[in-house]
Amino acid sequence: MHTLNWYISDSVSDVLAQVIKDMANALRSHSRDIDLQVISAKDFQYKAGYERIRNIFAKKEIWHLFGRAPFWWRIVRIHSRTVHSLLEKSNFAGWPTRFFTEGAKTGESVIFPVFDPLSSAGGEGKKAVFVRDGRKVPKGDYDVLDISEQVLRPEALSGVYIANDTGPREAMRAGILTMRGLAIASEKSGYLDEILGPDGYFVMHDEADLPKIIRQGLGDRGKHVAISARHFLKSRRSHERCTDSLITLYRKVIAQ
């Protein structure tokens, strides 16, 4: 039995935290010789002092850190092997891992995130254009909903999401929204290519493309793009592939 602690730092967004928890469920379901405990910084702060100290000094085969390292991480590195996963550019505090091959450097391992399907039996809502952080879109005969960080709600959605940028965080959000039923529109993104496939989202060359993309995204074309993206995501980011990438990583770390 291999013992693992996963620590989700307070620098990790709710979006990424949900993906990490889905990855933990995949690992537990598909590997019987794994004893995995997931510790969230948000829960950790409410533990009694002695419980926090006991966790910090708990020797495990591997501690896997997601996000920026807490001040006490140096203690963990003394008694256990450590793995560190990041989206942003920063110094690693353990075996370096990324969620995407895009942007990964030599020596950095890649683990595959997983995006679970809807857990709600509710029907999809009215089609709309979804944005976050007040992003402006052309006015038209359609609703515009600003969901900001509220992308984890379980009900089905319908329409098109206009991405804010081409970075890895937005790609993670797009993966979740795709599983909620939305088509995605973004500037060309290597991160999105890995999650949804090169043909799994509408490519915006500039803001002038938005009226056409919104019209198509709210119509049959949007439905077909969303279906294609979900098929790509389910096959390329399955529970099995996620588990295989994690097991391969941990074998390397244990063997060092």
Side-chain angles (χ1 to χ4, degrees):
M1 180 67 70
H2 298 292
T3 57
L4 301 171
N5 270 1
W6 284 14
Y7 185 78
I8 303 176
S9 167
D10 57 6
S11 68
V12 171
S13 68
D14 289 343
V15 173
L16 180 55
Q18 183 59 54
V19 173
I20 293 167
K21 290 172 183 176
D22 289 343
M23 293 172 67
N25 290 335
L27 183 59
R28 290 190 183 108
S29 299
H30 295 275
S31 183
R32 297 181 180 178
D33 62 345
I34 292 290
D35 177 14
L36 170 61
Q37 179 183 7
V38 179
I39 304 169
S40 169
K42 293 181 179 179
D43 297 329
F44 194 66
Q45 64 181 330
Y46 294 112
K47 290 181 180 291
Y50 75 91
E51 285 188 89
R52 291 199 298 269
I53 293 172
R54 185 179 63 183
N55 273 287
I56 291 169
F57 283 90
K59 183 177 181 180
K60 301 289 183 176
E61 198 162 13
I62 293 174
W63 273 71
H64 191 154
L65 168 66
F66 296 89
R68 290 194 295 270
F71 72 92
W72 46 261
W73 187 250
R74 62 185 181 274
I75 298 174
V76 172
R77 300 192 73 180
I78 293 172
H79 61 64
S80 299
R81 293 181 175 90
T82 57
V83 173
H84 192 185
S85 296
L86 287 170
L87 284 176
E88 68 274 8
K89 294 180 179 178
S90 184
N91 294 327
F92 285 101
W95 187 288
T97 63
R98 300 282 186 187
F99 294 93
F100 299 90
T101 57
E102 177 80 8
K105 298 179 181 178
T106 302
E108 296 177 355
S109 297
V110 176
I111 53 177
F112 293 152
V114 66
F115 301 88
D116 281 346
L118 287 170
S119 59
S120 171
E124 65 182 30
K126 180 182 177 182
K127 286 188 176 181
V129 177
F130 292 81
V131 298
R132 69 180 186 89
D133 298 338
R135 193 191 201 288
K136 301 299 183 182
V137 297
K139 293 183 179 180
D141 187 22
Y142 44 77
D143 293 332
V144 178
L145 301 179
D146 190 328
I147 54 176
S148 294
E149 290 298 321
Q150 301 174 23
V151 301
L152 303 180
R153 56 190 191 180
E155 70 266 24
L157 304 175
S158 182
V160 59
Y161 172 68
I162 311 299
N164 272 12
D165 57 61
T166 59
R169 292 181 184 274
E170 194 72 324
M172 289 289 196
R173 181 177 289 105
I176 291 177
L177 289 173
T178 295
M179 296 306 290
R180 296 294 182 265
L182 295 184
I184 307 299
S186 169
E187 294 179 17
K188 188 65 175 175
S189 165
Y191 297 104
L192 271 181
D193 287 351
E194 289 190 38
I195 293 291
L196 306 181
D199 301 317
Y201 61 102
F202 292 100
V203 176
M204 297 187 299
H205 299 288
D206 54 48
E207 293 293 313
D209 292 335
L210 266 180
K212 178 181 178 181
I213 286 175
I214 290 173
R215 185 173 66 254
Q216 292 182 342
L218 295 177
D220 289 341
R221 175 64 179 155
K223 182 184 295 185
H224 294 317
V225 168
I227 291 172
S228 172
R230 284 195 295 275
H231 177 74
F232 187 94
L233 193 153
K234 289 177 183 178
S235 61
R236 302 297 181 91
R237 294 294 181 266
S238 65
H239 277 212
E240 292 79 8
R241 293 200 71 183
C242 173
T243 299
D244 288 346
S245 69
L246 288 166
I247 294 299
T248 298
L249 165 65
Y250 295 148
R251 283 174 177 167
K252 290 180 181 178
V253 174
I254 292 171
Q256 69 177 340

